[in-house]
Amino acid sequence: MVDVAMVGAGQTKFGNHPMGLKGMWSEAVEKAFSSVDNDCSPNMVEEAFIGSIAFGGSQLGNTAALLTEHSGMDGVSVRRVENACASSGFALRDAWMTIKSGQADIVVAGGIEKMNDLSAERKRYWLGVSGDTEWERLAGLTFPGTYALTARRYFHEFESTHDDLVHVSVKNHMHGFDNEMAHLRKDVSFEKARSGAMVADPLTLYDCCPTSDGASAVILVADHLAHQFTDTPIWVKGSGAGSDKLALHDRPSLTQLRATQLASQKAYSLANLQPNQIDLAEVHDCFTIAEVLATEDLGFAGRGEGGIFARNGQGRRNEGDVTVNASGGLKSKGHPLGATGTGQAVEVFKQLRHQVEPTRQVRDAEVGLTHNVGGSGATCAVHIFGRER
Amino acid sequence: MTIAKYSLENGVFATSLYGDEWAGPDGDRLTIALLLLQSETPSTIQIESFVESLEYTPSAPVSSIIESTTDWKVVPDGEFHLISSNSSLIVGISKNDNLSQWPEVSSENSFDEDQKKAIDEAWKKEVSGVSQGAYVSQSQHMLAMPSRLGLLAQEDASVILWPPRQLNNEGERIPPVSNKLDNNASILTWTKLSALGAPSEFSLRAPLLGGVSTVLVEFSSGPKGVFMLADDENGVPEINQKVSFEVRRLYGQDNLIHYGLKALLN
């Protein structure tokens, strides 16, 4: 079966963006195509998958057609992919499957979200409607609430405290400080992160990612074309996806994400790799507790040891076996929902090609993983990339 | 909330523990009526005049709410009348719907008049304003009412399921709800959302109440569920603590009030 390579990747800066949807998307696409070493242009694209929740309801229908129209992909077969915060992780998987199946040779996957031009109330409405609206939301829950429920239960079940989450926050802010694409570029001390304003007890402001605007795009090609575009393609070695019950109360465990476990098992199996062979992982730390769970569900830490992993600084850049969220993660780099998944792929693409800012480079990075979760864990896409085919 | 009950010759009456001027931050005549009905031997009841006394229109017919929450049957020629004073928050069950005598009531709990006014005003604004709240279709609300208000659960291969589900993993349709869960459950975890973290439908009331508390509980028969906490001003939840449930106002949307069960710390 055909192998798939990533030959280009680009994104806007994540944050409070002055541009609208068309401007942000065209910038991400422009950067993705200009990152391809040899001649490659948008009119060569055969299929495009764009992840977005269409936050705020702006251009809810036919978003993808509008975006490709304004990015040189006029006439391309395109669609919006929606799986909440995992939208572009799934767009990436759809693009990968399209090439694997032989239906197309050059495919764009990307994502976009505009979150910061809404009133606070409308923003909270849109942040809540990817959860279980019928039961969880009517019990007063938004995502900070569901992750807070998880965090408190995690502390109860294992030897962990909120301080472990503070370590995650401090690390990701440290990683994101030098990332020019990051939303929150500020070093945060342990004491400051520990004393943040309470959002959803026990989670404070420093446990929560920001709401960001942004767009990201990657270019995938079939193996026979990879070296036409670059001498250093990044190979998609594995892709896996899974789902779980939408509502937390319907899941057997409150402290594990089954969707992550299913997705990562498939991705590792396909890549024929083990967790200890991953050099860097961009994991979905929408809330700090989510990173603790991810390190366990992805196999970097044992069950109940994610807090210890964070406490010991094992995910810090170039300090442990795996660097977790070298970009700063959602916590620092930002979380423009639909753009996050392919934004993670952009970071891994640059890290594996040793093209990030020198202070951020993960040493000897050969294999990277992306982990993109929808909502409180109803959906998850995991991808594994490598310099070697 | 629970209620204060009064028995007279012409019937049995109830108010909230705040007396006859306020039913608390999320109570009203209907929530008092449901507790009163639950505390009495079920029979048949007429509700026409009671429905007219309600301040806001419920999102489901009052008869359906009563029959989902209690074992009373609402019929036009019922044995009893559900009644309420128009001038105060006293609710009664009587054989006569035109009472001349109402009980003298006292209040067990005091309340801050300014807070009451602020909360009443917030409800008014929330119900009549353009909602930014989550949309759950009216049909979905109606279909789920026996589960939402009456804790009725399904049973599939000896496993109790709540909230209700559709097909099982074999693709077979799960039988309709038939088992009533206990009115008690145990807290597995909890959170308190600050006013900033609360969903938009609670944005007017959350600041007045100091946030919104939610518990994820497990029933003794197995199912888990999430509920907002009520009357928790003086208590902090703990894991493994027991809770019981009462019907309260959840939120207002499109000129309707939605009701649901809330948890009370035992």
Side-chain angles (χ1 to χ4, degrees):
Chain A
M1 194 180 280
V2 63
D3 286 333
V4 179
M6 184 159 49
V7 297
Q11 66 163 92
T12 65
K13 182 183 186 320
F14 288 175
N16 200 337
H17 222 289
M19 284 191 283
L21 293 176
K22 291 179 282 189
M24 289 195 297
W25 174 252
S26 61
E27 182 184 319
V29 168
E30 199 174 18
K31 285 181 173 174
F33 279 92
S34 62
S35 75
V36 183
D37 296 331
N38 302 329
D39 222 19
C40 185
S41 58
N43 61 13
M44 298 165 77
V45 174
E46 298 162 272
E47 297 279 345
F49 298 84
I50 303 177
S52 182
I53 294 176
F55 199 84
S58 166
Q59 198 57 59
L60 188 59
N62 278 329
T63 320
L66 175 78
L67 297 175
T68 47
E69 173 196 339
H70 284 273
S71 54
M73 287 181 253
D74 209 15
V76 72
S77 167
V78 65
R79 72 288 290 153
R80 176 165 72 100
V81 179
E82 190 284 305
N83 258 349
C85 318
S87 294
S88 60
F90 277 82
L92 179 59
R93 181 170 163 80
D94 289 347
W96 172 80
M97 288 197 295
T98 301
I99 296 175
K100 290 294 270 186
S101 68
Q103 293 300 306
D105 288 334
I106 304 177
V107 180
V108 159
I112 188 163
E113 217 70 65
K114 181 76 182 170
M115 302 177 72
N116 280 315
D117 58 356
L118 301 176
S119 69
E121 273 196 31
R122 279 176 70 83
K123 200 185 279 188
R124 275 191 283 172
Y125 166 80
W126 278 90
L127 283 171
V129 292
S130 293
D132 172 43
T133 53
E134 192 181 351
W135 298 91
E136 283 185 341
R137 182 158 176 128
L138 297 193
L141 287 177
T142 50
F143 286 128
T146 49
Y147 278 98
L149 291 175
T150 296
R152 189 179 302 284
R153 188 67 198 177
Y154 187 88
F155 300 155
H156 177 77
E157 289 182 12
F158 305 107
E159 284 184 27
S160 181
T161 67
H162 182 258
D163 277 359
D164 293 338
L165 307 188
V166 175
H167 282 291
V168 172
S169 182
V170 170
K171 169 184 68 72
N172 289 349
H173 276 292
M174 180 184 75
H175 285 176
F177 186 76
D178 289 328
N179 184 353
E180 291 175 3
M181 295 292 119
H183 185 169
L184 301 177
R185 297 181 64 189
K186 53 184 177 186
D187 230 345
V188 173
S189 69
F190 188 88
E191 289 68 30
K192 188 167 187 181
R194 194 187 208 186
S195 58
M198 197 61 79
V199 174
D201 195 356
L203 301 183
T204 73
L205 194 60
Y206 287 94
D207 293 306
C208 308
C209 68
T211 53
S212 316
D213 306 330
S216 57
V218 300
I219 303 160
L220 303 185
V221 302
D223 50 16
H224 67 275
L225 292 177
H227 287 282
Q228 174 185 321
F229 294 117
T230 179
D231 291 334
T232 52
I234 299 303
W235 296 95
V236 185
K237 297 175 75 72
S239 171
S243 64
D244 197 357
K245 308 281 195 298
L246 179 61
L248 197 59
H249 59 255
D250 284 327
R251 300 180 195 162
S253 170
L254 305 180
T255 54
Q256 291 173 292
L257 295 193
R258 182 167 173 263
T260 294
Q261 294 170 341
L262 293 170
S264 61
Q265 283 161 14
K266 288 176 197 167
Y268 285 131
S269 170
L270 208 57
N272 197 25
L273 290 169
Q274 300 295 320
N276 61 10
Q277 293 173 281
I278 305 296
D279 298 315
L280 74 142
E282 288 292 304
V283 311
H284 198 96
D285 60 323
C286 48
F287 299 92
T288 47
I289 183 66
E291 179 169 316
V292 170
L293 300 191
T295 53
E296 294 180 19
D297 293 329
L298 293 168
F300 304 140
R303 171 86 171 123
E305 295 173 356
I308 300 167
F309 183 94
R311 201 181 310 156
N312 293 343
Q314 287 170 272
R316 281 193 212 135
R317 184 172 50 235
N318 297 326
E319 290 190 21
D321 293 336
V322 58
T323 297
V324 178
N325 282 330
S327 68
L330 283 60
K331 179 71 197 81
S332 168
K333 184 185 174 188
H335 185 26
L337 313 180
T340 291
T342 39
Q344 294 173 322
V346 173
E347 170 71 9
V348 169
F349 177 79
K350 290 181 175 177
Q351 285 278 0
L352 295 184
R353 286 164 52 116
H354 302 170
Q355 291 175 332
V356 298
E357 300 86 342
T359 51
R360 295 204 310 110
Q361 183 62 51
V362 175
R363 208 166 34 237
D364 302 327
E366 291 287 327
V367 179
L369 176 149
T370 59
H371 163 252
N372 191 200
V373 173
S376 63
T379 49
C380 179
V382 170
H383 289 87
I384 298 174
F385 305 87
R387 287 170 63 88
E388 296 294 322
R389 186 167 174 177
Chain B
M1 168 172 62
T2 64
I3 49 172
K5 282 178 68 174
Y6 305 88
S7 292
L8 299 181
E9 277 185 8
N10 59 353
V12 58
F13 300 86
T15 66
S16 81
L17 296 182
Y18 294 104
D20 61 356
E21 290 182 20
W22 198 38
D26 52 5
D28 58 20
R29 287 183 174 85
L30 182 52
T31 62
I32 296 169
L34 294 171
L35 286 170
L36 178 61
L37 289 165
Q38 283 174 332
S39 71
E40 295 292 309
T41 306
S43 180
T44 57
I45 196 156
Q46 305 179 39
I47 61 169
E48 290 77 8
S49 68
F50 176 77
V51 171
E52 287 171 15
S53 75
L54 294 177
E55 192 178 359
Y56 300 111
T57 306
S59 65
V62 175
S63 57
S64 300
I65 293 174
I66 289 174
E67 291 185 351
S68 293
T69 310
T70 75
D71 292 327
W72 288 74
K73 295 293 166 211
V74 178
V75 291
D77 55 351
E79 183 183 358
F80 294 93
H81 293 269
L82 186 62
I83 52 176
S84 181
S85 162
N86 284 326
S87 57
S88 64
L89 292 173
I90 304 176
V91 175
I93 299 170
S94 171
K95 293 209 170 183
N96 180 358
D97 71 343
N98 190 15
L99 295 189
S100 55
Q101 187 192 6
W102 293 84
E104 291 290 323
V105 305
S106 58
S107 60
E108 197 170 303
N109 294 350
S110 61
F111 61 88
D112 182 324
E113 187 65 36
D114 289 340
Q115 195 195 24
K116 171 193 177 300
K117 276 185 188 163
I119 290 173
D120 287 350
E121 192 57 36
W123 276 113
K124 195 174 172 185
K125 208 169 167 185
E126 182 176 320
V127 171
S128 62
V130 176
S131 173
Q132 287 299 327
Y135 176 69
V136 177
S137 76
Q138 187 63 13
S139 58
Q140 197 58 37
H141 265 298
M142 291 298 293
L143 287 167
M145 203 161 20
S147 296
R148 187 181 297 287
L149 299 178
L151 288 176
L152 281 183
Q154 296 165 299
E155 183 172 353
D156 183 42
S158 301
V159 176
I160 305 296
L161 299 171
W162 186 93
R165 308 188 68 79
Q166 301 292 322
L167 305 186
N168 63 19
N169 283 349
E170 277 71 48
E172 297 160 343
R173 185 153 294 281
I174 300 170
V177 293
S178 57
N179 297 274
K180 190 165 174 58
L181 299 176
D182 284 347
N183 197 46
N184 290 285
S186 181
I187 295 176
L188 290 177
T189 181
W190 63 273
T191 184
K192 182 165 190 169
L193 285 107
S194 70
L196 275 176
S200 47
E201 49 269 52
F202 308 108
S203 63
L204 296 174
R205 286 173 290 121
L208 304 172
L209 299 169
V212 173
S213 294
T214 297
V215 291
L216 194 156
V217 302
E218 186 171 46
F219 293 90
S220 57
S221 50
K224 298 194 283 282
V226 281
F227 298 88
M228 217 179 286
L229 265 187
D231 305 346
D232 61 321
E233 300 84 3
N234 300 318
V236 177
E238 289 178 20
I239 289 176
N240 295 330
Q241 188 175 1
K242 299 286 181 194
V243 295
S244 55
F245 304 97
E246 285 184 7
V247 173
R248 300 291 178 90
R249 284 180 180 176
L250 288 182
Y251 68 105
Q253 189 177 57
D254 303 329
N255 294 310
L256 301 172
I257 291 274
H258 291 271
Y259 291 86
L261 288 172
K262 288 187 180 177
L264 284 82
L265 297 173
N266 287 355

